Amino acid sequence: MNRQMTVSQLSRYIKGVFEDEELLHDITLSGEVSDISYSDKHTFIVLTDGAFSVRCVHFCSRDRIEKGAVVALRGSVNFYEKRSSVSFTYTEYFLQGVGDKNTRLLELKQKLSDLGYFTDRPQLPKYIVRVVAVTSPDGAAIRDFIRVVHDKNPFVRIEVFPVKVQGEGAANRMCDAIAKLQSYNTDAIVLCRGGGSDEDLDAFNDEKLAVAVATSRIPVISAVGHEIDYTLCDFCAGTRAGTPSIAGEIVNAHAGRIMTDLAVYVTAIKSLTESKYQRSVLKMNRLGKATTYAATTRISKQYNVLRTATSAMSRRTSFLLESAARATADCAEKLKPALAVKYSTNREKTDKLFALLNALDPHRIIKVGYAAVLKKGVRIAGATALKPNDDIDLIFADGIATAHITDVRRDTKA
């Protein structure tokens, strides 16, 4: 018969079944602790037995139980109707030893340690600009890793090699990825997975994967689970990061060195350049002062030489001028008698010539009644130079008269 029920009705019914079943109350549950955590004052345990597990809680108590321990818990099975989940609430516990799984894990850890896989792992390079993350491409772990890196260093190139990180075949997939990346050009490999239970992290305790991590020629950062979680890959990797976000900060530390060192180099170059410049300035100043001193000294010497030469030349010139003046004066004294005789002789000749010129002076002749005849400003010496109708000027001693020629007669006696 088909009955219709709501979720709340079904949950209340199942809760009633659990409460009424006496076999689920006051029992002792034994198994191996695969995970333990705390919230406020409460202890939460995942108890496993082979492939089976159950969640257990001890309220108002922080029990000091280690992972891998075999314990017996006394309590009851409860059904939480709001979450429709089953858990075992215990009131006391008894330690019974170490579990098989934890024993096997410790033995494998010791084996890998004896083989030297926990030491001398390749370390991260000083600078990181390329990273390959071996992880699930859809998980929150890779998103956190990329966000942390790119928030501070967006130039870092992050590539994702997609693999399974949980369940059957996950360890083999990650081994193959690490093997393929050995020939890849990258600065580091990040083995990345978010938190989970011990069962969720079983793949990272696989011996084959741990050896692949330990023998990788490329430095490996193991960023698996939470900070409190340790896997064999953490011990075999050159660098262990508590979480994917911490792995991002580790990458940032190496990527940030590029800018830091570049700033240091720039500062050093600037300081070196300024120091060299200052030394050059000081050298140039010294050379300038030396050149100025040498030039001033040479100019002073040349000035003194020139002044000495000028003084000597001035004295020489004065001496020569004085000598020439004395010689000229002596010559003048010597020439005076000869010049006096010459002057007297020339004076007599001049007087005679003056008397002759005075006798021949036309003005003197004109003054006694003669006139000078000019035709068009040209002196006329005789009648042959005239013809009728010519106009002439007659120059007298007291003026000029103009005449008109009406007739010209030749002197037959001439």
Side-chain angles (χ1 to χ4, degrees):
M1 180 176 62
N2 186 7
R3 294 182 179 179
Q4 184 175 356
M5 300 178 70
T6 64
V7 173
S8 60
Q9 290 172 337
L10 177 61
S11 296
R12 292 191 186 99
Y13 177 79
I14 295 175
K15 180 176 176 60
V17 172
F18 273 84
E19 291 176 347
D20 293 340
E21 180 57 61
E22 294 184 359
L23 290 177
L24 299 179
H25 299 284
D26 194 19
I27 60 176
T28 299
L29 184 67
S30 62
E32 182 177 342
V33 178
S34 63
D35 193 20
I36 183 169
S37 60
Y38 304 95
S39 175
D40 295 329
K41 298 179 180 181
H42 313 310
T43 302
F44 296 90
I45 292 175
V46 176
L47 204 62
T48 61
D49 179 19
F52 301 95
S53 64
V54 62
R55 296 184 180 277
C56 308
V57 59
H58 191 183
F59 293 111
C60 300
S61 177
R62 293 178 68 86
D63 300 332
R64 301 182 65 179
I65 304 175
E66 295 183 357
K67 288 183 180 180
V70 176
V71 297
L73 308 179
R74 183 176 180 179
S76 301
V77 178
N78 293 302
F79 179 81
Y80 292 91
E81 53 184 322
K82 290 184 178 179
R83 295 195 303 270
S84 296
S85 64
V86 177
S87 66
F88 185 80
T89 302
Y90 67 96
T91 56
E92 57 182 336
Y93 68 93
F94 308 92
L95 295 176
Q96 295 181 326
V98 179
D100 293 339
K101 179 179 178 181
N102 192 54
T103 300
R104 289 193 302 272
L105 185 60
L106 291 175
E107 290 175 352
L108 181 56
K109 179 181 177 182
Q110 186 61 47
K111 173 185 176 181
L112 295 175
S113 177
D114 293 341
L115 292 173
Y117 288 149
F118 293 174
T119 59
D120 299 327
R121 303 276 62 78
Q123 299 300 303
L124 296 173
K126 184 176 182 180
Y127 306 123
I128 292 181
V129 294
R130 296 188 65 178
V131 173
V132 176
V134 177
T135 186
S136 171
D138 302 322
I142 186 60
R143 291 195 297 270
D144 291 342
F145 174 73
I146 293 174
R147 175 183 54 78
V148 170
V149 174
H150 283 176
D151 279 350
K152 294 182 178 179
N153 298 289
F155 61 86
V156 175
R157 181 177 178 183
I158 301 175
E159 297 183 50
V160 177
F161 196 114
V163 294
K164 286 179 61 177
V165 292
Q166 181 178 341
E168 185 178 357
N172 289 332
R173 297 280 183 87
M174 288 186 279
C175 285
D176 293 341
I178 293 174
K180 290 178 181 179
L181 289 174
Q182 296 308 297
S183 60
Y184 199 72
N185 181 22
T186 185
D187 298 318
I189 297 173
V190 179
L191 199 59
C192 185
R193 191 206 188 283
S197 66
D198 277 5
E199 287 79 7
D200 294 335
L201 305 180
D202 277 348
F204 298 93
N205 286 317
D206 182 83
E207 181 178 2
K208 183 179 178 181
L209 177 58
V211 172
V213 170
T215 56
S216 172
R217 71 169 186 84
I218 299 174
V220 176
I221 301 175
S222 178
V224 179
H226 298 297
E227 290 189 62
I228 61 173
D229 297 321
Y230 274 85
T231 67
L232 293 179
C233 288
D234 291 330
F235 293 103
C236 290
T239 304
R240 189 253 177 182
T243 65
S245 296
I246 294 176
E249 293 296 349
I250 293 173
V251 171
N252 281 335
H254 290 261
R257 287 177 185 169
I258 298 175
M259 302 306 296
T260 301
D261 289 354
L262 182 61
V264 171
Y265 294 148
V266 169
T267 302
I269 292 172
K270 181 180 178 182
S271 177
L272 181 63
T273 302
E274 290 178 350
S275 176
K276 190 172 182 179
Y277 171 75
Q278 292 298 332
R279 290 197 300 269
S280 298
V281 169
L282 291 175
K283 185 176 180 180
M284 291 299 295
N285 287 337
R286 288 196 296 268
L287 288 174
K289 290 179 181 179
T291 303
T292 302
Y293 175 77
T296 303
T297 303
R298 187 172 183 84
I299 291 172
S300 179
K301 289 181 179 179
Q302 293 297 326
Y303 173 75
N304 291 333
V305 171
L306 181 61
R307 185 173 61 181
T308 301
T310 302
S311 298
M313 185 180 294
S314 178
R315 290 193 299 271
R316 180 64 177 169
T317 302
S318 298
F319 174 74
L320 292 176
L321 288 174
E322 291 175 358
S323 298
R326 286 194 299 271
T328 302
D330 292 342
C331 290
E333 290 297 329
K334 292 178 181 180
L335 289 174
K336 278 183 180 180
L339 289 174
V341 174
K342 189 71 173 175
Y343 174 75
S344 298
T345 304
N346 289 336
R347 181 61 183 270
E348 291 178 358
K349 290 181 178 179
T350 300
D351 289 342
K352 290 178 180 180
L353 289 173
F354 181 75
L356 179 60
L357 286 174
N358 189 42
L360 297 176
D361 184 7
H363 290 282
R364 187 180 62 80
I365 298 172
I366 291 173
K367 286 179 181 180
V368 297
Y370 294 96
V373 179
L374 299 177
K375 177 183 176 181
K376 296 181 180 181
V378 178
R379 186 175 62 84
I380 301 300
T384 57
L386 297 172
K387 60 182 181 293
N389 295 321
D390 282 342
D391 291 324
I392 61 174
D393 292 324
L394 301 176
I395 308 302
F396 296 97
D398 58 353
I400 300 174
T402 300
H404 183 71
I405 303 300
T406 58
D407 186 25
V408 178
R409 295 185 298 276
R410 295 179 179 272
D411 186 1
T412 56
K413 295 179 179 182

